[in-house]
Amino acid sequence: MVIVDRALVAARNAQQRPVLQGLFNAGTFTTGLDGVATGSVPLATNRFGVNYSDRDYIQGALTQGKSTIGKPVKSKVFNSVVFAFGVPIRDGQGRIMGALAGVVDLAKPN
């Protein structure tokens, strides 16, 4: 599937740029407009296909077009409490086409 292939390429490219990994000890991920994860760094977190549309930081990015800091919640992929930051991803015309999230695992040094 073309979308999955593009998401994997984007995730691999992001893994080669460790700046965000230093800021977010539980990694980063992207979603489509539906809030479903389309990319994840590191790949080992296995977020692909997980629906985050119920998370406040994704809702703020997708529906309001705002950078949003989420409330601490139980992770959908880790056995710990996390909080995340979400920002909208926009196309060349400024339309929202997805979200980028950075996640902090509160059980780990951060």
Side-chain angles (χ1 to χ4, degrees):
M1 181 174 225
V2 174
I3 294 172
V4 172
D5 291 342
R6 287 183 188 159
L8 288 172
V9 168
R12 286 188 186 115
N13 288 337
Q15 277 193 303
Q16 296 171 1
R17 293 171 178 83
V19 172
L20 291 178
Q21 293 175 32
L23 296 173
F24 302 106
N25 67 3
T28 59
F29 66 95
T30 57
T31 74
L33 287 173
D34 58 2
V36 174
T38 57
S40 181
V41 175
L43 291 172
T45 57
N46 199 23
R47 289 185 176 106
F48 291 101
V50 177
N51 189 328
Y52 290 95
S53 64
D54 61 330
R55 302 299 178 141
D56 53 358
Y57 58 93
I58 296 297
Q59 291 172 358
L62 294 177
T63 62
Q64 299 171 17
K66 297 190 322 185
S67 298
T68 305
I69 300 172
K71 295 177 184 169
V73 293
K74 177 143 177 24
S75 171
K76 291 188 176 195
V77 295
F78 304 116
N79 189 25
S80 61
V81 175
V82 300
F83 77 96
F85 301 80
V87 297
I89 299 171
R90 298 180 185 273
D91 66 14
Q93 287 72 45
R95 294 180 298 235
I96 297 170
M97 51 187 283
L100 170 67
V103 185
V104 175
D105 184 340
L106 295 174
K108 295 181 179 178
N110 56 70

